[in-house]
Amino acid sequence: MTTDSLVNGFPPPPLPEDEEQPELLQTALDLSAPASDALVKNRKNAWIQLAGHPGAFAPAGPSTIWKRRINFKDSTETRAYEMLMKDSAHDIVPEFFREVEYNGEYFIEIEDLLQHFINPNIMDIKIGKRTFMESEVKNPVLRKDLYEKMVKLCPGAPTPEEREQQAITKLRYMQFREEESSTAEYGFRIEALRVSGESPTTNLKKVKTMAQIENVLCKFIKNQDSVRWKFHSRLKQIKEKFESSSFLMSHQIIGSSILFMFDEMGNTGAWMIDFSKTVPLPQGKTLTHRDDWALGNGEDGYLYGVDSLIKIFENLECSKSDSRNIHAPNNQHDG
């Protein structure tokens, strides 16, 4: 099917206004109606946004979505998808069709992964040991506002020196946040999920210990060994494709997720998504994507996180107890 045939006959989707959204939309899962009657008839599922900025997505055709460029001048994600379509890793990411300008804003049109499933269970896991850009943390200025945020999230976190200064750097704050989740130790964190037939679960950013991770994963896959092994196999494929990709091995992959889906018909899948912070390295340089990060070395820990997930899915032992309730740790905070 050509790009034009995906779009012709379907009017450009109305885009959400940048006004204050209801609480649910501000967290992670946005359940939204399709853009037109034609789309309602041609879509198998109610359209779902899992994580990301509220109002950043809109259904386009029966099998594509539009993703809005958050920073008007930044075409990083468009360039990433264009390169990935020519790369050996093209089949572990959504298919990219084109960039679109509409009402003075820019969008990428990509494959709607929901089309492959019927009423799917969906989980978004952010991958990598570093979730921030190096440019974000170069400023050594001590900030009182970030110290106050840290204390609010974890009163015991500041060191004696930080308590005396009543201020911390942006780098210290960002690394503190990663230590609050499983990011620092395991190289990934579970962002949000939706179990078919249930309300979304979005307050998962403090899922940190192995026991907590295993609890969430078992309840997401509904204790099904067949689903566990299919995800394990797909993760191994993603790792192999990543390691053989000239594009991925020569870029910092920051803030990218793997989107997991399965349904009761036996369909399963997982894809790399989100490339708005995928930046190239100096020519000729590559990364291990596993080594520890130090300012300037570019390491992101992406493959370290994939390795961790592969091992967890391989060793996951789920009980046959009720798998319908996912309990997040107490004292959850978004951010």
Side-chain angles (χ1 to χ4, degrees):
M1 185 177 292
T2 67
T3 302
D4 287 341
S5 67
L6 291 170
V7 178
N8 289 343
F10 301 100
L15 301 173
E17 299 293 334
D18 290 327
E19 59 189 19
E20 186 172 346
Q21 302 284 329
E23 177 66 21
L24 177 60
L25 302 188
Q26 290 180 335
T27 51
L29 274 172
D30 175 12
L31 306 186
S32 175
S36 68
D37 290 342
L39 292 178
V40 171
K41 294 175 183 177
N42 282 278
R43 284 178 178 265
K44 293 187 294 186
N45 303 291
W47 183 66
I48 300 169
Q49 176 184 336
L50 182 61
H53 295 272
F57 296 84
S63 58
T64 65
I65 59 173
W66 281 7
K67 181 180 179 182
R68 176 161 48 188
R69 186 187 296 176
I70 302 302
N71 183 336
F72 178 76
K73 297 181 179 180
D74 187 358
S75 59
T76 299
E77 188 157 36
T78 299
R79 292 196 302 271
Y81 270 113
E82 288 174 342
M83 295 298 293
L84 283 164
M85 291 301 97
K86 306 171 187 176
D87 189 86
S88 60
H90 66 89
D91 54 354
I92 59 172
V93 302
E95 185 175 0
F96 170 81
F97 292 98
R98 61 174 184 161
E99 184 174 73
V100 183
E101 182 181 1
Y102 177 69
N103 279 356
E105 295 188 281
Y106 286 90
F107 304 80
I108 57 171
E109 184 169 351
I110 57 176
E111 176 185 10
D112 181 2
L113 298 171
L114 287 171
Q115 69 177 300
H116 306 295
F117 302 88
I118 297 174
N119 195 20
N121 306 275
I122 311 172
M123 177 171 60
D124 181 313
I125 298 185
K126 191 174 293 294
I127 309 294
K129 293 190 74 173
R130 174 165 62 92
T131 61
F132 53 85
M133 305 284 284
E134 291 190 338
S135 59
E136 294 179 67
V137 297
K138 285 184 176 179
N139 192 332
V141 170
L142 293 171
R143 291 176 50 178
K144 181 178 176 62
D145 62 322
L146 296 181
Y147 174 82
E148 291 172 349
K149 282 186 177 182
M150 174 193 279
V151 172
K152 184 177 180 181
L153 291 170
C154 183
T159 65
E161 182 181 5
E162 289 167 347
R163 291 187 187 282
E164 183 178 346
Q165 294 172 333
Q166 297 280 296
I168 57 174
T169 64
K170 179 71 174 289
L171 174 57
R172 168 70 169 116
Y173 179 74
M174 296 302 287
Q175 291 182 319
F176 155 74
R177 291 308 305 266
E178 291 179 344
E179 290 165 359
E180 287 287 281
S181 72
S182 57
T183 293
E185 184 171 358
Y186 296 108
F188 69 84
R189 75 176 185 224
I190 302 171
E191 288 284 284
L193 60 84
R194 174 185 181 265
V195 173
S196 176
E198 293 194 3
S199 298
T201 302
T202 62
N203 59 337
L204 297 170
K205 290 184 179 180
K206 279 199 171 183
V207 170
K208 180 176 180 178
T209 68
M210 182 58 69
Q212 291 167 343
I213 292 167
E214 289 176 342
N215 174 63
V216 173
L217 293 181
C218 281
K219 291 176 178 177
F220 172 67
I221 67 173
K222 301 179 181 179
N223 298 335
Q224 298 180 51
D225 249 8
S226 60
V227 175
R228 172 171 74 96
W229 284 114
K230 286 178 180 179
F231 282 145
H232 176 266
S233 177
R234 179 60 169 170
L235 284 167
K236 289 180 69 176
Q237 183 185 28
I238 288 173
K239 183 186 79 165
E240 291 165 3
K241 289 281 186 176
F242 192 115
E243 290 175 324
S244 66
S245 166
S246 58
F247 177 84
L248 295 173
M249 292 302 291
S250 62
H251 283 69
Q252 295 180 50
I253 314 297
I254 306 297
S256 179
S257 293
I258 294 179
L259 189 67
F260 296 80
M261 286 194 264
F262 76 97
D263 62 22
E264 301 308 316
M265 307 300 293
N267 302 307
T268 63
W271 295 264
M272 289 180 65
I273 60 171
D274 300 334
F275 300 100
S276 60
K277 294 183 179 181
T278 297
V279 295
L281 300 166
Q283 190 167 1
K285 183 177 180 181
T286 60
L287 300 176
T288 68
H289 296 283
R290 291 185 173 94
D291 287 348
D292 289 340
W293 173 73
L295 187 60
N297 75 359
E299 290 290 351
D300 51 38
Y302 194 99
L303 286 175
Y304 179 93
V306 174
D307 290 341
S308 295
L309 274 173
I310 290 172
K311 185 175 181 180
I312 290 169
F313 272 106
E314 185 170 329
N315 298 321
L316 193 61
E317 294 185 3
C318 300
S319 70
K320 298 301 179 183
S321 59
D322 178 52
S323 62
R324 303 295 289 177
N325 297 312
I326 297 173
H327 300 288
N330 293 327
N331 302 319
Q332 293 290 337
H333 299 276
D334 288 333

